[in-house]
Structure formats: C-alpha cells, structure tokens
Amino acid sequence: MQFPMVRGEIWVITIILPEYQFFSNVMITPDIDEKYIALALELAEKGRGKVEPNPMVGAVLVKNGEIVGKGYHQVFGGPHAEVHAINEGGINCKGATLYVSMEPCAHYGKTAPCVNAIIDAGITKVVTTVIDPNPITSGRGMQKLKDAGIEVHLGVMESQAKRLNAPFFKLMQKGLPYVIVKWAMSLDGKIATHTGDSRWITSEESRAYVHKIRGQVDGILVGINTVLRDDPLLTCRLEGGRSPKRIIIDSNALLPIDSRLLNTINESEIIVALNKGAQQERVAKLEQLGCKIIQTKDTNGFVDLHDLFHRLGGMKLTNILVEGGSRIITSMIEERHVDKVMVFIAPIIIGGEGAKSPILGKGVGKISAAAKFHEISVKRFSHDIVIEGIPKY
C-alpha cells in the first residue's frame, strides 16, 4: 500500500490488531486476566492437604501492571488468600485489581468475611473464576462487592478452577467426599502373587509419591482383608506429612486388637465402618480403644458404601484415598463411587491363575461396555508408570 507524502509532514500510522488494543500508551491483551488468574491457581495449589475442608484459594493484587501483593490460603482456620495478598500489598491496595481463584467469602467462619477486607482496602476491581458452591456464601460475595461499587468480572478460567477444587465442589453440592481409587499392579495386571505377597510391586520412588498423596487427603480407606493380610499402618511417612484418618470397612468388627493400626491410634483417628449385625462385644472393645464406629445400613451382610460416604461427607472429609483390596475396589467401581483412579504399573510379570487382580466380579460382556476414563495423565517414577484418569459416568 502506498501513501502520498508531502514534504514537511510526518505521518503516524497506527495498526489495530485483533489481538490487542491500545489505550493511553498501555497495551492490554485479552488474556491478561488469564495470566494473573493462572498465577492465583498456582498459588492455591500450595494449600493442598492443609486447608481442607476449605477450598484451595490463591490471590494476586495488580496495580499499574505490576504485582503488588499475592497470597494463598495456607492452613485451615488461618487467614484466607485475599487477606494475605492485601497485607502484602499495603497502601498499594487502593485502586488495585484483585485476581482471586474463587469468589471471596461473605460469611463469618474461622475468619471474618474476605469481602469486608477487600472493600476496606480500597480495591476497585475483582476478577475471579467461579461462584463459591458453599451455600452460605454462594453469590453473596460478588453481590456485596458490586454493592460497594467494585467492578467485578466472573468466569475467567472457570473449568480449571473447578478442576482444582473438585473435592470441595462435590462435598458442597452432594455432601459426599471425592474418592480416589489407587492400586499397583504388574504388567500382567496382578496386584499380588497366588500366595498373597504384594511387597513390593512398585519402586521406592512410586511409594514415596503415594505417601505424598496420603498426606494430601483427609482419609485412607481399605477393607478388613487387607488389614488381616498386611497389618498396615496407613500413615503418611514423609517428613512433615499429615497422616489421614484411617477408615476400615469391617462389616463384622474383626479388626485385631493387636494390629499396628490400633497400636498407633494416637497418630491419627481410626474409623471402623461396620453393619448392625456385628458382635456388640467387639464393637464395644473397639470403641473403648478409641475407634470411631460408623454402623451403616446392611447390604447383603456388608457395609452400605453409599450410606458410609454420606456419613463421611457429614464429617467434612473432603477427599478419600481407597487402597484396596480387590473386593473394595470392585465395589467402588461397580457402584460408581469413584471420582479418580491412580494405577501404578511396574515392569514385572507375576503370572499364575490364582494371582490376585485389582478388579473382580463378572465383568462386562463386550468391550464397548467397559468403564471408560478421560482427562488422562501419565507420570513416571523410576521404571514404573502411573496412569491417572477420571471416569466417564
């Protein structure tokens, strides 16, 4: 393209690209909100395993294109992300924009409402992802900010925010904990030999990762057969790691009095789920030793899992790691209690018709009827691989 030039004139040509807009010499890109919300989500992740049953939340304060404060919810009962960011921002909060990974709370709980702190700090704009599913706040925080004259933007990276706090959303919306089912197996799909030996199928590195996950969940669940066979501790053995509550599905109250679980009851709570037909003398003894007893509805002589998970949700257990054995895993999958699977595969072959598989039952008649998963991720630890996925229900 040619332009006629006149001697002595200076032409300034401004090209407006669809990706950018220019206002007062400040370049604003459409994804600037995503940039800071992504950072808020990254900060929020640091609270995993420490803030439950609260959600993980991160916050970033921006003024004149510069980050002036940031923070995340660090521990249950402690200051929320917004307060940490405001405290760091100080006088720079006035006129700033707050990016926060979930709607700020508007209710009194362990702490005062975050919306009050935001208003008092002089923040003029709040960008967030999703409405808090907690019914005592849901939408009220956004409305209170609007009523105070604060500009509010909602819906930035909403799906990522929901995925990050999937356990919190499930607990708030359904009253149920988020259930992760984990097992380790050989290349030929065995979780133990025909004699029942399973130590150790996977590498030390893989086992360390499992302990990290244990430290991030509220409860770890196994069946009584696993306890009788392996006498496990079910604790997090990483330095500084939090040990979850230990949940035993034990329909007939068979938990041995001399088990390592009961010998370490002071380290973390033990919950024994049984049905009403269990011998009351054994139940009384477990209670006397400090176990919390949950008597569920009876389903063909076994613990009713649906009833159990509603009880655990009522106790505000946000997420639970199920570690077996085969009967428990099978029931979880067949009854559709599973929210996520973690399958560790070691480069060994066990063999044997009598060797144990992770899934029992009749199984499907056609491949098209097989349980399917999405949002697949693959990790590698030493020579093992770990496949994680979300079931398609």
Side-chain angles (χ1 to χ4, degrees), residues 16-28:
I16 306 297
L17 300 176
E19 292 84 7
Y20 303 95
Q21 295 177 327
F22 296 82
F23 300 98
S24 305
N25 298 320
V26 177
M27 186 173 72
I28 302 175

Side-chain angles (χ1 to χ4, degrees), residues 222-296:
V222 298
I224 185 60
N225 288 335
T226 296
V227 176
L228 296 175
R229 182 185 67 243
D230 298 336
D231 193 21
L233 284 170
L234 304 180
T235 54
C236 172
R237 292 190 284 279
L238 295 182
E239 185 176 353
R242 177 192 68 164
S243 287
K245 297 180 188 297
R246 296 169 287 179
I247 306 161
I248 315 301
I249 296 183
D250 183 14
S251 299
N252 299 308
L254 300 178
L255 181 61
I257 302 304
D258 61 350
S259 66
R260 294 204 296 169
L261 283 170
L262 291 178
N263 286 331
T264 57
I265 197 167
N266 291 330
E267 293 186 24
S268 65
E269 185 176 6
I270 295 175
I271 300 171
V272 181
L274 43 80
N275 62 37
K276 296 179 180 178
Q279 292 184 6
Q280 291 305 306
E281 289 183 5
R282 296 191 63 86
V283 175
K285 183 62 176 178
L286 292 174
E287 284 185 310
Q288 181 184 346
L289 292 170
C291 296
K292 180 176 178 59
I293 303 296
I294 297 179
Q295 289 187 313
T296 73

Side-chain angles (χ1 to χ4, degrees), residues 67-335:
I67 295 175
V68 296
K70 58 183 183 295
Y72 67 97
H73 188 23
Q74 299 177 8
V75 62
F76 178 69
H80 290 185
E82 300 92 323
V83 174
H84 282 296
I86 289 169
N87 288 342
E88 186 176 302
I91 61 173
N92 289 315
C93 292
K94 191 170 184 179
T97 296
L98 176 68
Y99 293 88
V100 59
S101 63
M102 184 177 287
E103 174 191 17
C105 66
H107 65 280
Y108 282 89
K110 295 285 186 180
T111 62
C114 288
V115 290
N116 293 359
I118 293 169
I119 294 167
D120 293 342
I123 293 166
T124 54
K125 181 179 175 181
V126 173
V127 180
T128 189
T129 61
V130 65
I131 294 293
D132 188 336
N134 189 336
I136 62 177
T137 273
S138 190
R140 292 178 56 224
M142 302 298 284
Q143 189 58 53
K144 191 167 183 179
L145 293 174
K146 290 178 183 179
D147 291 344
I150 295 175
E151 183 182 350
V152 174
H153 288 205
L154 174 69
V156 180
M157 299 184 73
E158 178 179 357
S159 61
Q160 293 92 327
K162 286 183 175 180
R163 189 179 304 120
L164 175 73
N165 276 304
F168 178 72
F169 274 84
K170 186 180 181 186
L171 184 65
M172 290 295 105
Q173 294 171 342
K174 298 183 178 181
L176 295 167
Y178 189 87
V179 178
I180 305 166
V181 171
K182 164 261 172 185
W183 68 83
M185 67 183 188
S186 61
L187 288 176
D188 55 335
K190 307 298 184 181
I191 63 171
T193 67
H194 70 278
T195 64
D197 180 42
S198 61
R199 295 185 178 179
W200 298 102
I201 290 176
T202 54
S203 66
E204 184 176 345
E205 190 178 355
S206 293
R207 298 197 299 276
Y209 179 64
V210 171
H211 281 283
K212 176 183 176 182
I213 299 300
R214 284 184 179 183
Q216 294 174 342
V217 298
D218 295 331
I220 179 170
L221 184 151
V222 298
I224 185 60
N225 288 335
T226 296
V227 176
L228 296 175
R229 182 185 67 243
D230 298 336
D231 193 21
L233 284 170
L234 304 180
T235 54
C236 172
R237 292 190 284 279
L238 295 182
E239 185 176 353
R242 177 192 68 164
S243 287
K245 297 180 188 297
R246 296 169 287 179
I247 306 161
I248 315 301
I249 296 183
D250 183 14
S251 299
N252 299 308
L254 300 178
L255 181 61
I257 302 304
D258 61 350
S259 66
R260 294 204 296 169
L261 283 170
L262 291 178
N263 286 331
T264 57
I265 197 167
N266 291 330
E267 293 186 24
S268 65
E269 185 176 6
I270 295 175
I271 300 171
V272 181
L274 43 80
N275 62 37
K276 296 179 180 178
Q279 292 184 6
Q280 291 305 306
E281 289 183 5
R282 296 191 63 86
V283 175
K285 183 62 176 178
L286 292 174
E287 284 185 310
Q288 181 184 346
L289 292 170
C291 296
K292 180 176 178 59
I293 303 296
I294 297 179
Q295 289 187 313
T296 73
K297 297 176 183 177
D298 190 310
T299 301
N300 299 319
F302 296 100
V303 167
D304 185 295
L305 292 177
H306 187 71
D307 186 19
L308 172 61
F309 284 129
H310 270 287
R311 302 282 195 93
L312 296 175
M315 295 167 58
K316 301 301 180 186
L317 270 66
T318 308
N319 40 37
I320 291 172
L321 178 65
V322 177
E323 291 202 13
S326 297
R327 292 179 183 176
I328 297 298
I329 293 172
T330 302
S331 296
M332 294 289 174
I333 291 176
E334 289 183 343
E335 297 179 27

